[in-house]
Amino acid sequence: MRLLIVEDEKRLALSLAAGLRAEGFAVDVVHDGTEGLHRAGSGAYDLVVLDIMLPGMNGYRVCGALRAAGHDVPILMLTAKDGEYDEAEGLDTGADDYLTKPFSYVVLVARVKALLRRSGGAPSPVLKAGAVSVDTASRRVSVGDEEVSLTAKEFAVLEQLATRAGEVVSKAEILEHVWDFAYEGDPNIVEVYVSTLRRKLGPGVITTMRGAGYRLEER
């Protein structure tokens, strides 16, 4: 799952991004409404966390513009304001949920996951491919009856492959969904994680399609 945070309080935005990445999400951050609208309108995100008080274009206008253009990406609005009018205005412009600052990080994560489930943006809680079972809710992986321990990034790579089990997933697609939009490191990092997954899951589970990508075998 790939999330966009549009928040001009940079420390808060970076803190939220770090926490959500630890949950296994790929997260991009922008700090003004105009750039937020441009990024969110690209169709590359599964959910947008959108502040209301933004430079360039406020969150109400960003949300309204996205909905007017036909984008149905789930939007969780954040604001330092409170009151029925603010919440109603946010929801009237097309936001899916509303969270007032200061808020609990645990509550934010719960809201994000609930919106993804509600929108169909989240995959089936348990993905299966052959003997491999990936429980996206509890973040547990097993091969047959044996549970396998994975890091957050290893899980995210496997989840991307499991979501499209039987299909070839390119290295670029894995980078795009598991790492950040602005990732400028070595793209061969994907090979490192796939190699680790092969070691943990066993032989024959992930096939390399030379020049095309990787495929999680369905049998």
Side-chain angles (χ1 to χ4, degrees):
M1 295 287 103
R2 187 173 173 192
L3 313 183
L4 175 66
I5 296 175
V6 188
E7 168 61 70
D8 65 327
E9 294 181 41
K10 294 186 178 180
R11 290 182 64 181
L12 173 61
L14 295 176
S15 175
L16 292 178
L20 288 166
R21 286 169 187 149
E23 295 287 331
F25 296 106
V27 183
D28 296 333
V29 177
V30 296
H31 303 295
D32 70 85
T34 304
E35 178 64 12
L37 176 60
H38 173 72
R39 288 286 193 93
S42 69
Y45 297 96
D46 299 292
L47 182 141
V48 177
V49 178
L50 177 65
D51 188 32
I52 289 180
M53 303 303 291
L54 292 167
M57 177 183 286
N58 69 36
Y60 295 137
R61 292 179 59 199
V62 172
C63 184
L66 286 170
R67 296 305 188 233
H71 297 291
D72 60 358
V73 59
I75 295 174
L76 173 60
M77 272 194 163
L78 305 179
T79 182
K81 296 181 179 181
D82 57 12
E84 293 181 0
Y85 175 75
D86 295 321
E87 181 172 357
E89 185 173 355
L91 296 175
D92 283 347
T93 58
D96 298 277
D97 203 353
Y98 185 98
L99 204 54
T100 303
K101 303 174 186 175
F103 50 81
S104 161
Y105 172 72
V106 173
V107 171
L108 173 79
V109 172
R111 296 284 186 90
V112 166
K113 291 182 177 179
L115 284 177
L116 288 171
R117 288 194 300 270
R118 189 188 313 165
S119 68
S124 170
V126 179
L127 305 173
K128 293 187 177 181
V132 178
S133 178
V134 181
D135 189 324
T136 60
S138 67
R139 305 185 68 76
R140 290 182 173 178
V141 174
S142 59
V143 179
D145 296 326
E146 183 177 351
E147 187 168 333
V148 178
S149 177
L150 300 181
T151 66
K153 272 289 191 289
E154 289 166 358
F155 183 90
V157 172
L158 178 60
E159 182 180 26
Q160 177 68 7
L161 292 172
T163 301
R164 296 172 54 185
E167 301 178 22
V168 177
V169 183
S170 71
K171 184 187 297 184
E173 288 174 310
I174 295 173
L175 278 172
E176 179 180 328
H177 284 272
V178 176
W179 278 265
D180 300 336
F181 183 88
Y183 178 75
E184 296 180 351
D186 188 349
N188 289 327
I189 189 69
V190 175
E191 295 178 12
V192 174
Y193 277 88
V194 169
S195 176
T196 302
L197 285 172
R198 283 195 175 112
R199 177 172 54 80
K200 291 186 175 184
L201 301 176
V205 174
I206 301 174
T207 300
T208 298
M209 308 303 292
R210 193 172 299 277
Y214 305 96
R215 182 178 64 215
L216 184 65
E217 299 297 342
E218 292 185 294
R219 58 178 184 176

